[in-house]
Amino acid sequence: MADLFEMLLGTGMRRGESLGPHWTDVHLAERMLLVRWSLTAVNNNHLYLGHPKTKAGRNWVSLAPRVVAALGHQAALTRTSQPKGTPLEGLVFRRPDGSPLRPQGALVELRRRAAELGLPRIGVHDLRHTAATIMISSRVPLAVVSKTLRHSTLATTVNLYGHLLPPRRPRSRRRHRHNLGTR
């Protein structure tokens, strides 16, 4: 689960989106991942693999080196549990038998680990907000943050995270006078 949490923090993906990628969607050499599936639990029971929340959500996500390392680790784990020479095709994050992880299981594990560390109780979606906060505090341009989070408009990003932006300094309206002098 640590690799899953690393990906959530490094990409700002939604919980279902992070549980939906197949290895064919992951391009480690290019440091890119295609978000095209979202795994959800209907009535917290039946698992459903559908499309992301919004049309804008179905897009490419850039992967930071830490996320590439986490996915590389996950690929190594997956390879050890399948016959040699079999290509990676199934879900990136799965149970040892290849079945999907349950979305509620990710929440339970996150809360368990947070409690062990004495951290406040948080939800998986809070990792998305943390990712956005990290990007904004690192002065990543807001348009890039919006594209990374795959918001449908920049206004959505501003509405959610505008309070994190550094205050803008008012532009001076004073005109500068230059003494050209005479020669």
Side-chain angles (χ1 to χ4, degrees):
M1 285 281 189
D3 295 330
L4 174 64
F5 298 144
E6 187 70 53
M7 187 171 83
L8 285 162
L9 279 169
T11 63
M13 292 172 70
R14 295 174 182 93
R15 176 176 63 179
E17 294 169 348
S18 69
L19 296 173
H22 292 68
W23 283 112
T24 54
D25 302 324
V26 177
H27 302 269
L28 293 178
E30 293 84 13
R31 295 177 40 195
M32 299 292 288
L33 181 145
L34 178 60
V35 179
R36 64 184 180 127
W37 300 109
S38 182
L39 182 73
T40 56
V42 178
N43 296 328
N44 207 19
N45 187 19
H46 178 72
L47 294 178
Y48 174 75
L49 192 62
H51 294 293
K53 181 179 173 183
T54 66
K55 189 174 180 178
R58 190 175 183 175
N59 212 329
W60 290 94
V61 173
S62 295
L63 304 175
R66 288 179 61 135
V67 177
V68 170
L71 289 171
H73 178 253
Q74 196 63 34
L77 290 174
T78 301
R79 282 190 184 101
T80 62
S81 66
Q82 65 184 25
K84 279 207 180 279
T86 305
L88 294 175
E89 293 176 355
L91 292 169
V92 172
F93 296 103
R94 58 186 184 79
R95 294 176 184 209
D97 67 359
S99 65
L101 291 175
R102 300 193 69 73
Q104 186 65 21
L107 174 63
V108 168
E109 183 65 15
L110 177 62
R111 289 193 171 154
R112 183 187 69 75
R113 290 182 183 206
E116 284 177 358
L117 297 170
L119 298 173
R121 183 178 162 111
I122 62 171
V124 177
H125 198 76
D126 294 323
L127 300 179
R128 180 173 170 82
H129 295 306
T130 301
T133 301
I134 291 168
M135 286 186 270
I136 291 169
S137 65
S138 299
R139 300 203 180 276
V140 172
L142 200 57
V144 174
V145 174
S146 184
K147 184 171 172 56
T148 301
L149 297 175
R150 293 167 291 57
H151 285 151
S152 55
T153 66
L154 182 59
T156 300
T157 311
V158 171
N159 288 339
L160 290 170
Y161 304 109
H163 65 284
L164 298 173
L165 297 172
R168 292 187 61 179
R169 293 183 197 158
R171 292 170 74 159
S172 175
R173 293 183 180 240
R174 191 175 53 156
R175 290 189 180 185
H176 297 282
R177 295 185 186 177
H178 299 282
N179 184 359
L180 300 176
T182 55
R183 291 192 204 187

